[in-house]
Amino acid sequence: MTTLQAGTIAFLLNLCFVSCQIFNIEEYGAVGDGITDNTLAFFKTMTACSEAGGGQVFIPSGTFLTNPFEIVSDIVFFMDAGSSIIAYEEPNKWPSSSKCLICGTQLNNVTLTGLGVIDGRGSSWWLNPSQERPSILVIEKSSNLIINGITLQNSPMYHIVPSKCVNIEIFNIKILAPPSPMSHNTDGIDPEECQNVHIHDCYISNGDDNVAIKNGCKDILIENCIFDNGHGASIGSITEDTVSNITFRGITFNNTENGARVKSQPG
């Protein structure tokens, strides 16, 4: 049994406990009309979940507009069919310091799952590619992360960024953005300084690297995925530290600029 498998099994056993407590965002003031700002409702829901020691945060059917918010440990973030979380389209409505729509740091036991859509609505950001732009999901310095079932689309920048994390499984998700140059730098999944990562059975069609393995990663397996449009499977370009034991297998490339490539500079 690999370390990743052992971590996943331990986490699934933990779900048997935390999933018993359900925190519906509508009970904390969320309104899924696509107009109401739900940032405070997400904050209140996450606070209640954290204070209870974990649980399931439930996103019902509806369109929930929000500014950036943070998730917590010991959480199952479940998006029901017909649910969507949308960002503000206008860059000036985002907080100036934002680097992600959904953020988390120093977390343990986090699952994002369901049948919903997280939409970064990044088209206005793409008009100014030199501008610093936020990603949809950034998780840092965390362990036991599972992402499955959901769709992430139209990020202003990258879609999923795990950084300095261990034990990650990402499967059966979709990542969607227009092809380059319309949505430049909308990478799909960009692990950085991560260990024990399994990405499988995903469909990724975007405007830059479908998956890019960055600085300091090791023990990464990407398999049985479809990469459509995009720039393909990349190692680098940010690899100041060594990357090791990186495997891509069973990948279907449709309309990508490259298959697999190493972008790091020599030396």
Side-chain angles (χ1 to χ4, degrees), residues 12 15 29 32 35 60 71 95 118 122 145 152 187 214 223 240 246 255 260-261:
L12 291 174
L15 292 187
I35 300 172
I71 57 177
I118 304 174
L145 171 65
L152 301 94
D187 290 20
K214 300 288 182 71
E223 62 179 344
E240 289 91 347
I246 312 300
N255 304 312
R261 61 175 176 167

Side-chain angles (χ1 to χ4, degrees), residues 242-259:
T242 302
V243 297
S244 62
N245 194 23
I246 312 300
T247 302
F248 289 89
R249 69 187 183 197
I251 307 298
T252 300
F253 297 95
N254 292 328
N255 304 312
T256 56
E257 289 190 5
N258 311 278

Side-chain angles (χ1 to χ4, degrees), residues 40-75:
L40 181 59
F42 276 109
F43 172 77
K44 288 181 177 179
T45 308
M46 294 298 168
T47 299
C49 181
S50 180
E51 290 177 348
Q56 182 190 115
V57 169
F58 180 73
I59 316 299
S61 178
T63 301
F64 297 91
L65 175 67
T66 185
N67 255 318
F69 64 90
E70 294 191 2
I71 57 177
V72 298
S73 291
D74 300 313
I75 184 177

Side-chain angles (χ1 to χ4, degrees), residues 123-266:
S123 58
S124 294
W125 294 89
W126 304 335
L127 299 175
N128 186 5
S130 63
Q131 179 182 11
E132 187 172 349
R133 293 174 280 162
S135 300
I136 285 184
L137 176 64
V138 177
I139 306 293
E140 300 176 298
K141 301 177 182 177
S142 300
S143 61
N144 299 338
L145 171 65
I146 296 175
I147 305 172
N148 82 289
I150 61 176
T151 297
L152 301 94
Q153 64 188 32
N154 300 322
S155 180
M157 191 76 168
Y158 308 147
H159 284 80
I160 300 176
V161 183
S163 177
K164 300 180 180 178
C165 295
V166 296
N167 297 338
I168 302 168
E169 185 169 14
I170 302 173
F171 64 101
N172 193 31
I173 69 166
K174 293 181 180 179
I175 294 177
L176 308 173
S180 171
M182 188 181 301
S183 67
H184 185 60
N185 284 133
T186 54
D187 290 20
I189 306 172
D190 284 13
E192 181 176 7
E193 294 187 58
C194 290
Q195 182 176 2
N196 294 334
V197 179
H198 190 192
I199 300 168
H200 61 97
D201 300 289
C202 297
Y203 176 84
I204 304 174
S205 180
N206 57 333
D208 212 293
D209 295 323
N210 298 80
V211 171
I213 306 302
K214 300 288 182 71
N215 194 37
C217 284
K218 62 181 179 179
D219 302 328
I220 313 291
L221 172 61
I222 302 97
E223 62 179 344
N224 303 330
C225 294
I226 297 174
F227 292 171
D228 200 0
N229 297 311
H231 293 182
S234 298
I235 296 177
S237 56
I238 304 172
T239 51
E240 289 91 347
D241 292 337
T242 302
V243 297
S244 62
N245 194 23
I246 312 300
T247 302
F248 289 89
R249 69 187 183 197
I251 307 298
T252 300
F253 297 95
N254 292 328
N255 304 312
T256 56
E257 289 190 5
N258 311 278
R261 61 175 176 167
V262 177
K263 296 167 61 178
S264 302
Q265 297 180 2

Side-chain angles (χ1 to χ4, degrees), residues 58-131:
F58 180 73
I59 316 299
S61 178
T63 301
F64 297 91
L65 175 67
T66 185
N67 255 318
F69 64 90
E70 294 191 2
I71 57 177
V72 298
S73 291
D74 300 313
I75 184 177
V76 179
F77 189 91
F78 184 85
M79 299 188 68
D80 202 10
S83 68
S84 59
I85 295 170
I86 62 172
Y88 279 96
E89 289 184 295
E90 304 88 349
N92 63 4
K93 290 190 176 180
W94 285 64
S96 58
S97 60
S98 299
K99 66 177 182 180
C100 42
L101 180 64
I102 302 175
C103 316
T105 186
Q106 295 183 328
L107 304 179
N108 189 40
N109 299 337
V110 172
T111 290
L112 291 88
T113 187
L115 300 171
V117 176
I118 304 174
D119 192 343
R121 300 207 293 176
S123 58
S124 294
W125 294 89
W126 304 335
L127 299 175
N128 186 5
S130 63
Q131 179 182 11

